Amino acid sequence: MVSYIIVTGGVVSGLGKGITTASIGKVLKIHGYKVTAIKIDPYINCDAGTLRPTEHGEVWVTEDGGEIDQDLGHYERFLDVNIPKCQNITTGQVYSAVIEKERKGKYLGKTVQPIPHVTDEIKNRIRKPAQDSNFDLILVEIGGTVGDYENVLFLEAVRQMKLDGDKIVYVHVTYVPVLDALGEAKTKPTQHSVKLLREIGIQPDFIITRVKEPLDDVRREKIAMFCNIHEEDVISNSDVENVYGVTLLFEEQEFCKKILHKLHLRKDHNELKDWKNFITKIKKLDKNVKIGIVGKYFDIGTSQLSDSYISVIEAVKHAAWNNNLRPEIHWINSKVFEKKPEELSMLDGLDGVIVPGGFGLSGIHGKIDAIRYVREHNIPYLGLCLGMQLAVVEYAQNACNLKDASSREIDKKTTHPVIDFIPDQINILQESRYGATIRLGSYPAILKKGTIVQQLYGKNKVHERHRHRYEVNPDYVEILEKGGLVFSGRSPDGVLMEFLELPNHPYFVATQAHPEFKSRPMKPSPLFDGFIKAAKGKSKRTDFEPCVSIN
Ligand code: GLN
């Protein structure tokens, strides 16, 4: 029988509940269990596809084309599994389904109410993965914080599940702040948060405390006493340099063993050694590789939000670690180059440059200028989705003498739309149907023999995930190829350009896909790995000044 581990959060948002959930899953997987995870997002949006990245972080794309909250990315990276889109549940989805059933008369004349009809719909969705596959354990992370208005029905649903007879462990993640003036860790917010949870009818089995320094015995005793749990079930989750190391913190406290004990499951085999060696190796790396990410989704108020590109950052890390390098990531706001072109020379100080995916116009010309600069100055370049489209625009303008070349997304009236709509997108856009209508999910590509891309993947057919509305215009492929650009991968029917590269450059590779979504800690994405190898080669050169002003 499947067991559920329900993860809730308290005190503040942004505690790293996703990483905590993924780490619990990883530890259980290491102990031989078949694990998957569900993310509940209490917002009304049906998926994360229409959310601005600075609002909610990166949009994660699943194999089956779901546009989901970035926590699903943590689960996939930690657990090394593909998670389907049905394992993300939002208020919007749940209510749409209930209203549709009501309109079809499926409730047989009953008054349709939040309890039990909405909670039943939630429970059905939580139980679905276990019906489709034989999982031992399913983690369910409930987004938001206890006390939020919008997640009450989800909490109510998981409360009912225990009563229904499901095997359940409740884990509550809280924050223990240290007040500067006192220099003392305070447990009161945790006590209040657990009080709120218990008012809903949920007694946590474990409390995970997010703390700066490991939790001391005095605080542990206090939390146990006031929150009605055993001291050993208060788990300390102190700050770590590398998020993958949270798993080791949990192992030291025998968290997995305690969960299994509560669920009456046996502790199976343990393959921690490889994982532990991997984390230890990362800690010891001392040579840096300097990677610039030229983007625009950085600003939120006065702070910068690297969450918008989290999978790209993780993919850079995985590849750097694979090459025994410590990644040093520099955020470069492309708008800077539009105002001050002389700043482009800062790129000389980097070992490699990435232009990641993106939508809309702001900062786009700065990105094109950056691509031209790295192409002409032999700086390793990796273009992802928009980063490939702009590489094509730049090459058309500056190497193929099509001065007015552009993407239809940037300039609707361009005489040379080298990047244009995927044909079926025209009607969709005219009717403003923006949700889940772009080219989404995993698609195959056939690679051209002897190209860099084919050598990196080591095979002729690959699958990567996509999320885009525009593509290389087939009418310009011949001109671009004559100009020296190599399309190293195409869709099986030969129509869509999926990969490109430039010979005679240390590394100029771009893809219409998002290979970052398939990168895993111990299995880097081949394109990122090749990019880091080239960057490592460049960092050995001495003819570059270190960069001075990187924003
Ligand atoms: N805006 C571009 C498109 O829709 C690129 C999208 C992306 O980078 N994910 O095609």
Side-chain angles (χ1 to χ4, degrees):
M1 183 187 178
V2 67
S3 302
Y4 295 93
I5 300 171
I6 311 288
V7 183
T8 56
V11 184
V12 287
S13 60
L15 282 177
K17 235 177 332 130
I19 297 285
T20 305
T21 307
S23 303
I24 299 173
K26 175 77 184 172
V27 179
L28 290 162
K29 187 174 175 181
I30 284 172
H31 285 287
Y33 287 93
K34 192 163 177 223
V35 186
T36 192
I38 295 175
K39 174 73 197 289
I40 291 179
D41 284 306
Y43 45 64
I44 311 260
N45 305 58
C46 289
D47 58 40
T50 52
L51 288 169
R52 195 183 309 125
T54 44
E55 179 113 353
H56 201 77
E58 170 194 270
V59 176
W60 174 261
V61 181
T62 58
E63 282 287 293
D64 61 351
E67 295 174 286
I68 316 279
D69 176 90
Q70 52 171 312
D71 283 323
L72 238 74
H74 297 315
Y75 307 161
E76 286 206 16
R77 280 188 287 270
F78 277 72
L79 300 177
D80 193 11
V81 291
N82 290 334
I83 296 188
K85 61 181 166 190
C86 63
Q87 286 179 221
N88 176 239
I89 307 172
T90 73
T91 297
Q93 289 170 19
V94 171
Y95 271 91
S96 312
V98 170
I99 291 167
E100 200 184 316
K101 280 188 201 158
E102 186 276 331
R103 292 289 78 187
K104 286 186 178 159
K106 294 264 162 79
Y107 293 107
L108 306 174
K110 288 220 163 64
T111 309
V112 182
Q113 294 180 302
I115 303 170
H117 301 102
V118 171
T119 46
D120 280 353
E121 182 66 35
I122 296 170
K123 289 192 287 183
N124 289 342
R125 284 166 185 253
I126 293 177
R127 289 175 182 140
K128 191 173 179 301
Q131 287 153 8
D132 299 345
S133 191
N134 59 335
F135 293 110
D136 301 312
L137 291 144
I138 298 182
L139 289 130
V140 183
E141 179 191 344
I142 302 187
T145 307
V146 173
D148 290 351
Y149 201 66
E150 57 179 14
N151 60 18
V152 168
L153 284 175
F154 293 104
L155 293 168
E156 167 61 16
V158 297
R159 179 196 70 77
Q160 291 173 14
M161 283 177 72
K162 190 160 192 174
L163 214 65
D164 294 346
D166 289 285
K167 275 174 82 180
I168 287 209
V169 157
Y170 298 104
V171 176
H172 191 53
V173 185
T174 73
Y175 179 53
V176 178
V178 176
L179 298 185
D180 275 351
L182 297 173
E184 188 192 334
K186 302 301 281 180
T187 64
K188 193 71 83 189
T190 298
Q191 295 173 35
H192 281 303
S193 154
V194 172
K195 191 166 167 239
L196 276 174
L197 197 59
R198 289 170 68 195
E199 275 170 15
I200 296 166
I202 296 175
Q203 165 64 51
D205 296 286
F206 294 98
I207 294 172
I208 302 190
T209 54
R210 283 284 297 113
V211 277
K212 213 169 165 46
E213 301 294 335
L215 194 74
D216 63 10
D217 288 344
V218 179
R219 292 341 107 163
R220 191 182 298 271
E221 275 168 35
K222 205 159 185 180
I223 291 173
M225 166 74 86
F226 284 93
C227 300
N228 192 33
I229 73 171
H230 296 295
E231 272 170 45
E232 64 268 23
D233 295 338
V234 180
I235 306 292
S236 165
N237 182 0
S238 50
D239 288 355
V240 284
E241 198 189 327
N242 174 352
V243 292
Y244 297 106
V246 173
T247 45
L248 301 185
L249 280 182
F250 288 170
E251 268 305 90
E252 281 163 21
Q253 297 170 77
E254 299 196 307
F255 186 25
C256 174
K257 198 171 144 193
K258 292 173 192 170
I259 293 178
L260 295 176
H261 180 73
K262 281 205 203 284
L263 292 168
H264 308 290
L265 293 171
R266 256 183 332 106
K267 189 173 158 181
D268 252 313
H269 71 300
N270 182 342
E271 283 168 10
L272 190 66
K273 215 173 105 228
D274 286 353
W275 184 249
K276 212 170 175 171
N277 289 345
F278 172 67
I279 309 280
T280 317
K281 167 187 128 165
I282 296 169
K283 267 194 196 146
K284 288 191 191 139
L285 297 175
D286 55 4
K287 191 174 176 324
N288 286 12
V289 61
K290 279 188 264 172
I291 302 301
I293 299 183
V294 181
K296 65 162 179 173
Y297 300 121
F298 299 129
D299 317 330
I300 175 159
T302 49
S303 55
Q304 302 223 314
L305 197 73
S306 52
D307 264 13
S308 315
Y309 299 109
I310 183 123
S311 295
V312 178
I313 300 169
E314 290 303 312
V316 169
K317 287 185 191 168
H318 304 160
W321 294 335
N322 190 48
N323 289 285
N324 295 321
L325 295 166
R326 180 180 276 273
E328 184 186 314
I329 292 173
H330 294 267
W331 298 112
I332 304 169
N333 190 337
S334 56
K335 289 175 220 162
V336 172
F337 301 139
E338 293 172 359
K339 285 188 216 120
K340 296 187 197 161
E342 67 279 10
E343 290 279 331
L344 281 164
S345 62
M346 73 163 72
L347 301 174
D348 286 332
L350 296 163
D351 300 326
V353 168
I354 294 177
V355 172
F359 291 81
L361 302 187
S362 102
I364 212 137
H365 295 288
K367 289 181 191 174
I368 296 174
D369 294 343
I371 296 170
R372 178 177 192 172
Y373 194 89
V374 297
R375 179 174 65 79
E376 291 181 345
H377 290 78
N378 288 330
I379 299 167
Y381 174 68
L382 178 61
L384 306 169
C385 201
L386 183 67
M388 161 154 160
Q389 296 175 354
L390 299 184
V392 170
V393 170
E394 188 280 312
Y395 202 76
Q397 288 177 353
N398 302 314
C400 299
N401 212 14
L402 300 173
K403 289 285 167 249
D404 179 44
S406 194
S407 158
R408 192 78 77 184
E409 188 178 14
I410 309 172
D411 177 2
K412 291 200 170 39
K413 297 201 182 94
T414 172
T415 46
H416 293 299
V418 288
I419 304 295
D420 209 342
F421 291 119
I422 300 174
D424 61 1
Q425 289 291 326
I426 297 171
N427 292 343
I428 289 173
L429 284 181
Q430 274 166 358
E431 290 158 21
S432 300
R433 287 188 283 122
Y434 291 113
T437 51
I438 57 183
R439 186 170 179 243
L440 285 168
S442 178
Y443 285 94
I446 307 299
L447 305 183
K448 191 170 176 179
K449 289 212 174 68
T451 57
I452 301 168
V453 171
Q454 192 250 343
Q455 281 165 17
L456 286 171
Y457 278 98
K459 48 188 175 183
N460 301 331
K461 187 176 183 184
V462 293
H463 290 79
E464 293 286 8
R465 298 183 194 174
H466 293 67
R467 182 174 186 249
H468 59 113
R469 220 179 272 287
Y470 300 85
E471 55 154 329
V472 176
N473 185 341
D475 295 345
Y476 286 90
V477 168
E478 207 184 312
I479 302 175
L480 291 159
E481 289 207 310
K482 275 205 181 114
L485 204 61
V486 173
F487 287 105
S488 34
R490 300 175 187 220
S491 56
D493 61 7
V495 177
L496 304 181
M497 300 302 117
E498 298 282 21
F499 295 89
L500 67 75
E501 63 192 59
L502 272 183
N504 308 323
H505 190 283
Y507 193 87
F508 193 97
V509 171
T511 172
Q512 187 55 77
H514 288 277
E516 65 271 25
F517 293 134
K518 287 176 86 165
S519 174
R520 304 286 181 256
M522 296 205 275
K523 281 187 242 160
S525 154
L527 291 197
F528 281 81
D529 198 47
F531 169 65
I532 293 290
K533 283 190 165 68
K536 189 176 179 178
K538 175 182 176 286
S539 69
K540 286 198 195 109
R541 292 162 59 173
T542 50
D543 55 339
F544 289 103
E545 286 293 311
C547 42
V548 272
S549 61
I550 288 181
N551 292 314

